[in-house]
Amino acid sequence: MSKVFSLLMIIPIWFIAMLYLATITFYRVESQSIEDWRIKTVVNYCTDSAIEELLEASDLGMDYADWGKFHVDPDLALKDFVDTFLLSYRLPLNNENREMIKTNYIQAFCVAGYDGYYIYDHRNAENGGYTLVGSPKIPYLYADTTKPGRYVTYALNMGNQRCYKLTDATITQAPSPVSDSECMKIINTRISDDLMERVDRAYTNGWLQSVYIPTSMTALTRTNPVQSPTVMAFMDNIDLDTMYKVQAFGIGGSRAKVARPVSAYIREDANGNMVKYYSYTDLLPDGINNDQAFIKEVFMSPEDAAEAGYHHDTLYMN
């Protein structure tokens, strides 16, 4: 009887042990998932902060339309990214912590500008370790091989406007040889391929994931195509607030979006009355759009101008 009882007692003990192991495993997986989500969120916020820092350092003019003046300083973007990351984990802003983030956690960092991009990855340091090193500006090169026996290279830009044409030893300006969509596809492919190459270097034993930046918004979720100056970062093996390293894969891309300001002013209507109107700044005639005596206020949307008491100006808006 005692032997049978002992054998029966093994069953609840075994069940309790399995329940305990399942609980511990579930807790570990959930904790890792939460930390993985947190890291990706932090990375996205950090890239947002970096692109905002670049905007503040740029002089794009009133309508943000001239991306050629977008000041792309990769070191400034990297510094702001690292500082924001440190603040997110409540760590002091000092050089030691900055170097720790760059050396241990940032595997690749990219700043895509109007006519080229910069990319950081790990390289061997003189002291025997490795450090995060940035590249010189890499242009968006496109080799035109459509004409047999003639090899022409173009340096494209995000606006797909007049680009540089490289033939033999000469560089001249020329119209873009590709369409807008094809231009963005070339730029996105070049950046994503370069990022994947840097990731492969960071993981000598191979990396099972892939880095793909779509050329336009697709049905894929949590993607961000490069259509204007962008900051991207890939971080991994972060163990700041956990007992184990989180194997988190995350790329945060932030686009600096074009703003179309609305100018508000007072002019005489057809009946001779002075009326408060608004119109997009770029639709106003030359000489008026930048006349500070004529322009009373500037808004970021027609809705804001309407709420302030201004009316749609059919003379310029239609």
Side-chain angles (χ1 to χ4, degrees):
M1 184 68 180
S2 60
K3 292 182 178 180
V4 176
F5 181 76
S6 299
L7 291 175
L8 292 176
M9 285 297 296
I10 294 177
I11 296 176
I13 294 174
W14 177 84
F15 178 78
I16 293 173
M18 291 297 102
L19 181 62
Y20 174 78
L21 291 175
T23 303
I24 294 299
T25 302
F26 175 79
Y27 176 78
R28 181 184 179 90
V29 171
E30 286 299 309
S31 298
Q32 186 169 344
S33 299
I34 292 173
E35 186 62 23
D36 179 76
W37 171 83
R38 179 190 178 189
I39 290 172
K40 291 179 180 179
T41 303
V42 168
V43 169
N44 285 324
Y45 277 122
C46 291
T47 52
D48 287 342
S49 177
I51 201 73
E52 183 177 353
E53 183 69 20
L54 293 181
L55 272 173
E56 292 178 355
S58 304
D59 182 14
L60 301 181
M62 190 174 183
D63 58 357
Y64 279 24
D66 190 358
W67 289 117
K69 294 182 180 178
F70 192 95
H71 180 69
V72 177
D73 185 341
D75 292 334
L76 177 64
L78 179 61
K79 181 181 182 300
D80 187 85
F81 177 90
V82 172
D83 286 353
T84 306
F85 189 87
L86 289 172
L87 292 173
S88 300
Y89 280 90
R90 302 178 299 278
L91 295 174
L93 298 179
N94 54 50
N95 292 333
E96 181 180 356
N97 285 337
R98 291 186 180 101
E99 193 62 28
M100 174 193 67
I101 298 300
K102 291 189 289 186
T103 302
N104 297 335
Y105 304 134
I106 299 179
Q107 306 299 335
F109 187 83
C110 178
V111 180
Y114 178 78
D115 55 357
Y117 66 99
Y118 305 82
I119 194 161
Y120 291 74
D121 64 346
H122 287 149
R123 300 298 175 91
N124 293 329
E126 296 180 357
N127 58 5
Y130 56 90
T131 185
L132 198 66
V133 178
S135 70
K137 188 175 184 179
I138 304 173
Y140 304 123
L141 296 181
Y142 166 69
D144 186 3
T145 58
T146 56
K147 298 180 181 180
R150 187 181 180 187
Y151 184 81
V152 181
T153 302
Y154 293 88
L156 304 177
N157 56 62
M158 289 185 178
N160 199 30
Q161 299 170 353
R162 295 183 64 84
C163 58
Y164 287 101
K165 180 179 179 181
L166 291 74
T167 55
D168 298 327
T170 60
I171 300 178
T172 57
Q173 279 197 329
S176 176
V178 295
S179 63
D180 291 350
S181 59
E182 185 66 20
C183 177
M184 297 314 302
K185 179 181 178 181
I186 294 170
I187 291 175
N188 278 257
T189 300
R190 184 168 184 84
I191 294 175
S192 59
D193 287 349
D194 205 344
L195 269 177
M196 195 68 247
E197 180 182 350
R198 311 298 169 130
V199 172
D200 287 339
R201 291 180 188 175
Y203 293 87
T204 55
N205 294 327
W207 176 253
L208 299 179
Q209 305 292 336
S210 61
V211 178
Y212 173 65
I213 306 170
T215 56
S216 60
M217 295 307 293
T218 66
L220 298 173
T221 59
R222 300 175 71 179
T223 58
N224 204 14
V226 176
Q227 295 180 339
S228 55
T230 304
V231 174
M232 289 167 285
F234 167 55
M235 303 184 72
D236 203 0
N237 293 328
I238 301 174
D239 56 356
L240 294 176
D241 279 352
T242 59
M243 299 176 60
Y244 49 87
K245 291 186 178 182
V246 177
Q247 301 294 327
F249 175 79
I251 289 184
S254 304
R255 284 208 312 266
K257 298 181 180 179
V258 177
R260 194 181 187 188
V262 175
S263 293
Y265 46 88
I266 300 176
R267 70 169 182 84
E268 186 176 349
D269 65 2
N271 299 322
N273 300 319
M274 301 303 293
V275 180
K276 298 168 69 176
Y277 286 112
Y278 69 81
S279 171
Y280 285 118
T281 303
D282 59 325
L283 296 181
L284 294 175
D286 293 338
I288 296 179
N289 53 11
N290 57 0
D291 186 353
Q292 295 183 359
F294 180 75
I295 305 298
K296 303 302 180 183
E297 296 182 79
V298 176
F299 301 92
M300 286 298 100
S301 69
E303 292 78 10
D304 293 340
E307 289 180 0
Y310 293 91
H311 304 279
H312 179 94
D313 193 345
T314 56
L315 178 64
Y316 299 121
M317 292 283 279
N318 293 339

